[in-house]
Amino acid sequence: MTCKRKRPEADVASRSTASKRSRHTASPDFLSPLSDELLVRILTYLPLPDLLNTAPVSRRFYDLFGDSQIWKRLYYSRFVLPRALRIPGFRDGSAREGKLHYSSRRAIWADGRRGGWVDMHVGDLKDRSRDWKKQYKLRHNWSKGKCAVEELPLGQEQSLLETSPSHKVLVKVTEGIAVTAEVATGLRAWDLKTKQLLAQMSLDEVDSEARPSCLTIDDQKIQDHVLDIAVGFSDGSFGVWRLDVRKRRLLRRYRHEKSSNGELVGVAFSYPYLLTATKSVLISMYTFDGPPEKDRSNITESDGETISSENLQEDAEDEHTMKQSKPGIQGDSNGTTLLAPYLLTSLKSHTSRAPLALSIRKTAGGIIASIAYTFSTLQGWSLGIQDLHLRPSASKSKSTPDITTTRLAYTIPVRMGASQMPSPPATPSRHVNSSSPSFQDDELDGPINLCYTHPYLLATLPDNTLILYLCTSNATSLSISPGIRLWGHTSGISDAEITARGKAVSVSCRGEEIRVWELEGRAHGKSIEVRPIAKPITDDEERVDDVAPDAASTVQWDDRRNWVGFDDEMVIVLKESKGRESLMVYDFT
């Protein structure tokens, strides 16, 4: 047997060295020695998909991935720059002087014409601590319609009030706080983030059966966690309350006595001005900064001046044209009490009809009070807007402001065919007014709801569509552009709301259809359907759903959604199900 030849020791050593050689050639690490500031600057140039891939690389890159500078630039390039490019002169550079400031309800700004870079250390102290990654995620969820939904019950089931048109819950939302007004529970404030009741106060007065009919919020002092609330009632009276969010309490500031002019259907409040509208389209403009009580008796009543021969006119013969308002019921003597308001003017229309929309806005030149209304024409119906321009009086002897100018504008007449009917034939707003003799003939021929937030006028129609108008107002003129029809809903729309930035939310009367519209610049007019994800439910709730799954779907179709409102983070829908009302909170955070 032949012996195998042994390998030389040098050959064995060379093979062992080759086997231990690394398969991959190690490249020098150029990133690890860099500081976090330089790495953040490098990551800002990556597109979003590549940036997401860097997060799992290491713990250090994961921490850098969440840096606010990176997400502020992404926020600017995706959400701010497309809006800025629509500014005349911005694309060609003629508007480069100064900085571009983006402002929303929370004063989110962006500066960056040069290369789209945004310096994190430019701006106020609040901007430095803002979580831009959270802001980006919030806007991304809005653009995709992604949110979580949770139900906030408002009270116990009341079957007797289910079919009563007088039973009505009013809701307004601002900055994560919802305010509700109702006969049984009074005025309540809710924290939508914690789903807790902040404060509650009764609206009942001695020997009064008035129910709240309209509601508005003045959020001028929202930075101080204070909200002023104005409520109109069915007997023509109104009241003002103050909500202190930190102290979790409501204080009554003023309560006006009832009037013979009828139910209030609209109210707008921006201290010190209050604008009201009755069911018979009587508009009254008040101010809480009027002359002292001892001087009001010396003020003579001015003659009524005709504003328009067909629409809103001053009515000197009406009770509301008294320049001194009747004394009301005052609030607590704690420094928040308001004196009786002073009536600036009163407008009466014999041709206008509901729906109405009131607004008060402040400009550099003064205050503008706007009334949007509906009126019939030979060709169908039209919408009108009347602006009242107020300025402080130039006379030292007169403390009340002067109405300097009044401007009117109308839309092109719209005619709806008899075949265009809503999916449910009745909506909540029309159900209340169904006792009118002309309801079947005139009321259905026109919008069922109006929302005016300058410069946008949004009309909800009974054929499952919306019409958007753009209003242009300056020191010399007021005009309304031709309307754009917005399609997308597959069932009757019960309510819609729009902000001054052009974002709108609409909700169907039945079902779960909610649509978000980005209408700034009136581009395309497309919408995104909200697709909520229900939060995890408990075992008890699962057992209830397992008992009768078919019944749950039936109840869902029987539910009515009568109102919609939203802020930067949430959409709130008022839901009515067999006499029990609740708030559906759609959270986009």
Side-chain angles (χ1 to χ4, degrees):
M1 184 175 181
T2 59
C3 297
K4 293 183 179 181
R5 188 179 61 178
K6 295 184 179 179
R7 294 181 181 272
E9 296 181 359
D11 190 12
V12 174
S14 63
R15 286 180 173 272
S16 61
T17 305
S19 62
K20 295 180 180 179
R21 186 179 302 169
S22 176
R23 295 183 179 181
H24 303 283
T25 302
S27 59
D29 186 3
F30 295 106
L31 294 179
S32 297
L34 297 180
S35 63
D36 291 347
E37 289 77 9
L38 290 177
L39 288 177
V40 167
R41 187 61 183 266
I42 294 174
L43 293 177
T44 55
Y45 292 99
L46 294 180
L48 183 59
D50 296 338
L51 183 63
L52 295 176
N53 293 331
T54 61
V57 171
S58 64
R59 181 66 183 179
R60 184 186 183 190
F61 275 93
Y62 179 81
D63 296 335
L64 297 176
F65 166 77
D67 190 272
S68 194
Q69 267 198 29
I70 300 175
W71 291 98
K72 186 174 184 180
R73 177 188 173 275
L74 292 173
Y75 185 95
Y76 171 82
S77 60
R78 179 177 178 183
F79 301 114
V80 179
L81 187 59
R83 296 181 58 209
L85 292 177
R86 292 196 291 265
I87 301 176
F90 185 84
R91 188 183 296 271
D92 56 11
S94 60
R96 292 180 182 179
E97 296 183 0
K99 297 180 178 180
L100 173 68
H101 292 273
Y102 167 68
S103 178
S104 73
R105 297 293 295 175
R106 298 198 171 186
I108 301 173
W109 63 272
D111 172 30
R113 175 57 181 165
R114 300 178 181 178
W117 174 252
V118 181
D119 188 359
M120 192 62 185
H121 299 289
V122 177
D124 54 6
L125 295 177
K126 295 181 180 180
D127 183 74
R128 301 180 190 180
S129 60
R130 181 172 291 114
D131 189 349
W132 284 98
K133 182 180 178 181
K134 179 180 178 182
Q135 292 291 337
Y136 186 94
K137 182 180 179 181
L138 177 64
R139 290 293 299 272
H140 173 78
N141 291 340
W142 273 102
S143 63
K144 299 298 182 180
K146 297 180 180 180
C147 62
V149 61
E150 188 174 357
E151 187 171 359
L152 176 61
L154 295 180
Q156 300 296 326
E157 181 177 354
Q158 301 180 18
S159 58
L160 295 178
L161 298 176
E162 179 183 2
T163 58
S164 175
S166 62
H167 177 66
K168 186 178 180 181
V169 177
L170 306 176
V171 188
K172 287 294 180 181
V173 176
T174 179
E175 298 295 342
I177 298 175
V179 177
T180 62
E182 188 187 2
V183 176
T185 58
L187 191 64
R188 293 186 291 178
W190 304 82
D191 188 342
L192 297 178
K193 295 182 179 179
T194 61
K195 309 300 182 297
Q196 293 181 356
L197 181 65
L198 292 177
Q200 183 174 4
M201 191 175 191
S202 175
L203 294 173
D204 293 338
E205 298 292 340
V206 180
D207 299 332
S208 175
E209 298 180 356
R211 57 177 177 82
S213 56
C214 51
L215 173 69
T216 188
I217 296 178
D218 179 17
D219 57 357
Q220 296 183 81
K221 296 185 177 182
I222 188 62
Q223 300 296 334
D224 300 329
H225 303 277
V226 173
L227 295 176
D228 287 327
I229 306 165
V231 182
F233 294 88
S234 58
D235 60 355
S237 64
F238 60 86
V240 177
W241 285 260
R242 169 162 289 184
L243 170 64
D244 192 325
V245 179
R246 289 177 176 174
K247 296 181 180 179
R248 303 171 64 98
R249 66 175 182 177
L250 281 163
L251 298 175
R252 188 179 65 188
R253 306 190 66 188
Y254 176 78
R255 181 64 188 271
H256 201 70
E257 67 177 13
K258 64 180 181 180
S259 172
S260 59
N261 294 300
E263 176 183 354
L264 294 182
V265 295
V267 61
F269 184 42
S270 179
Y271 184 84
Y273 300 101
L274 180 72
L275 187 64
T276 63
T278 66
K279 196 173 183 179
S280 59
V281 195
L282 174 64
I283 311 297
S284 300
M285 184 72 185
Y286 298 91
T287 177
F288 285 97
D289 281 350
E293 291 287 345
K294 60 180 181 180
D295 297 336
R296 297 191 183 187
S297 58
N298 299 326
I299 300 177
T300 57
E301 181 179 347
S302 61
D303 295 334
E305 177 185 358
T306 300
I307 301 300
S308 172
S309 58
E310 291 186 358
N311 296 284
L312 300 180
Q313 301 177 356
E314 284 200 28
D315 190 359
E317 299 177 356
D318 195 89
E319 176 186 356
H320 269 258
T321 56
M322 295 167 47
K323 292 299 179 182
Q324 178 183 356
S325 297
K326 295 182 179 180
I329 305 172
Q330 303 301 317
D332 301 330
S333 57
N334 52 8
T336 61
T337 301
L338 296 175
L339 296 177
Y342 177 78
L343 182 63
L344 293 174
T345 187
S346 183
L347 306 174
K348 175 65 177 179
S349 175
H350 300 284
T351 58
S352 304
R353 57 180 172 88
L356 302 170
L358 307 179
S359 70
I360 301 175
R361 67 183 188 272
K362 294 184 178 181
T363 62
I367 303 295
I368 299 179
S370 302
I371 307 105
Y373 54 92
T374 311
F375 62 95
S376 300
T377 63
L378 295 177
Q379 294 81 14
W381 56 270
S382 295
L383 301 179
I385 294 181
Q386 180 164 350
D387 281 353
L388 304 178
H389 294 251
L390 290 81
R391 290 184 180 179
S393 177
S395 176
K396 296 182 179 180
S397 60
K398 186 179 180 182
S399 59
T400 57
D402 295 328
I403 300 179
T404 56
T405 56
T406 300
R407 307 196 184 282
L408 292 169
Y410 311 97
T411 64
I412 300 175
V414 179
R415 181 64 183 175
M416 294 183 60
S419 61
Q420 295 176 331
M421 295 295 294
S423 262
T427 61
S429 58
R430 291 302 183 211
H431 178 72
V432 176
N433 298 329
S434 60
S435 59
S436 175
S438 60
F439 171 73
Q440 295 294 339
D441 299 331
D442 298 333
E443 296 293 326
L444 283 178
D445 189 10
I448 61 176
N449 184 54
L450 284 182
C451 181
Y452 178 54
T453 305
H454 187 77
Y456 299 101
L457 175 62
L458 189 63
T460 304
L461 304 184
D463 63 347
N464 309 344
T465 63
L466 302 166
I467 295 185
L468 176 68
Y469 298 95
L470 183 62
C471 306
T472 304
S473 175
N474 53 39
T476 58
S477 64
L478 173 66
S479 61
I480 305 177
S481 66
I484 294 181
R485 187 68 66 94
L486 304 178
W487 308 85
H489 273 271
T490 58
S491 58
I493 306 173
S494 64
D495 193 23
E497 184 175 344
I498 191 169
T499 64
R501 200 187 64 81
K503 176 185 287 187
V505 175
S506 56
V507 60
S508 294
C509 181
R510 301 184 187 274
E512 295 285 348
E513 188 176 13
I514 302 175
R515 307 197 77 86
V516 178
W517 309 77
E518 289 292 345
L519 303 175
E520 188 177 38
R522 306 194 310 163
H524 307 299
K526 296 182 180 180
S527 63
I528 300 295
E529 184 176 359
V530 175
R531 298 178 176 87
I533 301 175
K535 291 188 176 182
I537 56 179
T538 60
D539 296 338
D540 295 337
E541 294 173 340
E542 290 179 357
R543 285 194 294 268
V544 172
D545 294 340
D546 293 340
V547 173
D550 296 336
S553 60
T554 305
V555 172
Q556 180 181 359
W557 178 249
D558 289 340
D559 297 345
R560 301 181 66 92
R561 283 151 177 83
N562 302 333
W563 175 89
V564 65
F566 65 99
D567 57 11
D568 283 349
E569 298 181 353
M570 302 178 184
V571 171
I572 312 301
V573 176
L574 178 61
K575 172 185 171 183
E576 178 186 350
S577 176
K578 293 187 176 182
R580 176 177 297 178
E581 288 164 321
S582 59
L583 294 180
M584 303 299 297
V585 181
Y586 297 84
D587 191 354
F588 287 82
T589 58

